[in-house]
């Protein structure tokens, strides 16, 4: 989270609390803050059941869960806003839980998720494998052929077993570890 977003959140919440204290008094400001958080958590529980029932229904009907997925993403944002202390954040979280607001924000959330998925996909290296090794144009591991073999489930393998481990003259296993760089003086 960027520091200026957090500082902006603090400034808005402190200003709202100060306004409540100035116009209503300390006792009412604290009561309203606690009540807003309690109401937010109660509404959150009810909406949780509604949204995830819709997600289960779309799964049972084998339809695309696009609406249910965006609703769950918006629900996660609303949950964070509702649980975080403060009247303004709780009010924003409750607004985000409203059905018409979620319907309006679905395309925005879908576009943002698509953009993030595309950025992620550009950074991932895919490995295509064929029986001859790496697929043409594939990046990553695999450049040569493949080794034909049989998987042995139980017991011992039958036939000749060839140990290809590189060993030192004294019989220990050879490990190619590059030397450490020289220590820098402090």
């Amino acid at each position: 989270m960027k520091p200026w977003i957090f500082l902006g959140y603090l400034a808005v919440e402190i200003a709202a609390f100060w306004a409540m204290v100035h116009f209503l008094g300390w006792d009412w400001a604290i009561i309203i803050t606690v009540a807003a958080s309690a109401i937010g958590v109660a509404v959150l529980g009810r909406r949780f059941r509604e949204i995830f029932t819709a997600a289960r229904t779309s799964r049972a009907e084998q339809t695309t869960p696009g609406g249910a997925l965006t609703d769950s993403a918006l629900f996660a944002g609303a949950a964070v806003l509702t649980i975080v202390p403060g009247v303004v954040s709780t009010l924003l979280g409750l607004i985000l839980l409203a059905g018409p607001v979620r319907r309006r924000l679905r395309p925005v959330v879908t576009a943002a998720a698509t953009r993030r998925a595309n950025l992620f996909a550009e950074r991932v290296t895919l490995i295509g494998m064929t029986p001859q090794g790496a697929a043409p144009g594939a990046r990553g591991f695999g450049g040569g052929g493949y080794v034909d073999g049989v998987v042995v489930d139980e017991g011992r393998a039958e036939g000749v077993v060839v140990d290809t481990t590189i060993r030192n003259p004294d019989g220990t296993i050879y490990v190619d570890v590059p030397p450490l760089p020289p220590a820098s003086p402090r």
Side-chain angles (χ1 to χ4, degrees), residues 2 35 42 89 91 103 112 121-122 142 160 162-163 171 185:
K2 305 246 186 236
S89 61
L91 186 63
R103 278 191 291 279
E122 289 174 0
V160 178
V162 179
D163 184 12

Side-chain angles (χ1 to χ4, degrees), residues 27-115:
D27 51 351
W28 281 108
I30 292 173
I31 290 171
I32 289 172
T33 302
V34 170
S37 293
I39 290 170
V41 170
V43 170
L44 201 60
R46 182 167 181 242
R47 292 289 183 199
F48 175 80
R49 287 188 294 276
E50 291 175 6
I51 288 172
F52 288 101
T53 301
R56 266 190 260 123
T57 303
S58 68
R59 182 178 175 207
E61 295 172 356
Q62 295 183 349
T63 59
T64 57
L69 287 175
T70 55
D71 277 351
S72 63
L74 289 169
F75 175 80
V80 168
L81 288 172
T82 303
I83 292 172
V84 168
V87 176
V88 176
S89 61
T90 301
L91 186 63
L92 287 174
L94 291 174
I95 289 171
L96 198 57
L97 285 174
V101 174
R102 283 198 323 262
R103 278 191 291 279
R104 296 259 183 188
L105 289 177
R106 275 184 193 152
V108 175
V109 171
T110 303
T114 303
R115 187 172 50 249

